[in-house]
Structures are given as structure tokens and as C-alpha cells.
Amino acid sequence: MPHDHHHHDDDHHDHDHSVLPSDPALRVKALETVLTQKGLIDPAALDAIIDTYQNRIGPQNGARVVARAWSDPAFRARLLADATEVVAEMGLYGRQGEHIVAVENTPDTHNIVVCTLCSCYPWPLLGIPPGWYKSDAYRARAVREPRAVLAEFGVTLAEGQAVRVWDSTAELRYLVIPMRPEGSEGMDEDALMALVTRDSMIGTGLARAPT
Ligand code: FE
């Protein structure tokens, strides 16, 4: 699949969806049954794929990258220079994340990630995108009025802190390195990981303060 943006062509067909059963789980189960009966899919292979996306691919991967960047200046420098290579070394290369760029929040600059065309997102690092990330409102407003969007997520930027909005594509996806919270000095990587939220790596949140 060379490009992810084809599904925009379908926007005018939304009305067709109303005639289908409303419960997505029911529809998925029905599809799975039909495809299995026809011998087109192997339920064991399907279980393995679902296990991957439910249990092994998720924001904990990105959190590990961020915690290491906070802990290890040499790693951080390499991550900012070539994130794709660094995350591949960590075994985090995969579909929907072939080219990753890490962008770092600083006291001067806050970064926020969007895909204005659809929903491109760094799956191997953050898992499946949340619903709001794919919404028309977020995609349009993150670019037009990022500060208002951030405020709605509960993020108030410091006076004079600039906002940079990064527009993802199928070819290029972004990971925000949030600022390391005050009070986290001396915490090890595992403890730091717990401070790194999914939203902080999209830029719609900040890292948690240690309790
Ligand atoms: Fe997209």
C-alpha cells in the first residue's frame, strides 16, 4: 500500500453505512466466521495478529524510547538524529511506522502531531490511534488553532512557548519526546516509563509528574 490517504474518497458514501448492523463487534465476528468457513483466513493467524496489536504494540513501546532518551544523552542525540534506525535497533520497526522522526519538547517549543489528511500514526511506538486523532475536528483544528486544542486537552503552554505542528503522512510519522517532569531526577528507566503517557508522545499531553 503506497499511501494511506485513499479512504478520503469514501467520505461521500457515509450514508451507506447506516443500513449495516450498528455493532462493529457483531460485524467483525460475522466476517471472521464467513472468511474462516471459506478457508480464506486461519483463525490461529488472526489470533496472533490480534495479540500483537492488543498486547505487544502500544504506547508502552514509545514510553520505553522516551524514558531511555531522558536517561541517556547519547541515546537521545542518536534518536533525534535518526529515530528510524534507533527504534529499529530496539525491535520497534514495523507496519505503519517505517519512517519515524523524533521531535523534542523544550521550554521554548512544544510539538504536536496530527495527520491532516487521515490518521497516519506511528503504530509500532504508540499502537492503534485513538478515535479523536482520526476525527475531522482534531485534524482541522490542530493546525488552525493548536493552542485552543491543547487547552481542551488540559495543556496550557508557558508564556512565549512556541507550538510546532507536525503533519504526518504515510511515509513519515512523528514521536514527541515530552519534557522530563520535575521531581523525576534519580528515577530509573522503568520508573520513568510510567510517567510517559500516550498523549504526551502525540503532543496533546504532558508527561505525568512523579507522585
Ligand atoms: Fe494519514
Side-chain angles (χ1 to χ4, degrees):
M1 186 164 57
H3 205 258
D4 265 347
H5 295 151
H6 61 282
H7 50 269
H8 287 284
D9 302 336
D10 293 334
D11 284 350
H12 299 296
H13 302 297
D14 279 27
H15 57 276
D16 291 336
H17 296 173
S18 60
V19 301
L20 295 170
S22 60
D23 183 349
L26 192 68
R27 295 167 60 189
V28 168
K29 193 69 210 163
L31 265 175
E32 184 184 344
T33 302
V34 169
L35 292 170
T36 302
Q37 282 171 354
K38 289 183 180 294
L40 293 172
I41 56 169
D42 169 9
L46 202 59
D47 286 347
I49 292 168
I50 289 167
D51 175 66
T52 296
Y53 284 101
Q54 266 183 347
N55 302 315
R56 287 188 281 144
I57 295 183
Q60 71 275 10
N61 291 342
R64 186 147 52 91
V65 175
V66 170
R68 193 166 299 175
W70 284 347
S71 307
D72 179 347
F75 177 89
R76 173 183 156 275
R78 288 184 55 229
L79 183 69
L80 291 171
D82 187 350
T84 304
E85 183 180 288
V86 172
V87 302
E89 284 169 13
M90 295 173 73
L92 300 175
Y93 177 87
R95 284 189 68 229
Q96 309 284 328
E98 289 85 354
H99 298 284
I100 304 280
V101 170
V103 292
E104 182 181 50
N105 287 347
T106 68
D108 294 329
T109 306
H110 181 88
N111 296 283
I112 174 173
V113 179
V114 64
C115 176
T116 55
L117 282 176
C118 49
S119 56
C120 299
Y121 190 76
W123 286 27
L125 297 173
L126 299 185
I128 307 290
W132 56 258
Y133 185 84
K134 300 183 272 189
S135 71
D136 291 342
Y138 179 75
R139 285 162 32 208
R141 294 183 58 221
V143 173
R144 212 169 51 224
E145 43 175 358
R147 281 171 196 277
V149 170
L150 286 171
E152 286 168 35
F153 276 95
V155 176
T156 310
L157 299 182
E159 190 88 12
Q161 194 177 19
V163 183
R164 285 192 77 174
V165 182
W166 300 86
D167 194 0
S168 312
T169 66
E171 287 78 30
L172 201 55
R173 293 144 200 259
Y174 299 92
L175 176 73
V176 174
I177 312 292
M179 282 198 285
R180 181 169 174 163
E182 286 185 30
S184 65
E185 301 78 10
M187 292 173 72
D188 67 16
E189 255 181 62
D190 285 344
L192 289 171
M193 268 182 70
L195 307 180
V196 185
T197 63
R198 177 196 66 197
D199 287 6
S200 75
M201 295 181 280
I202 305 173
T204 52
L206 303 177
R208 283 192 193 99
T211 46

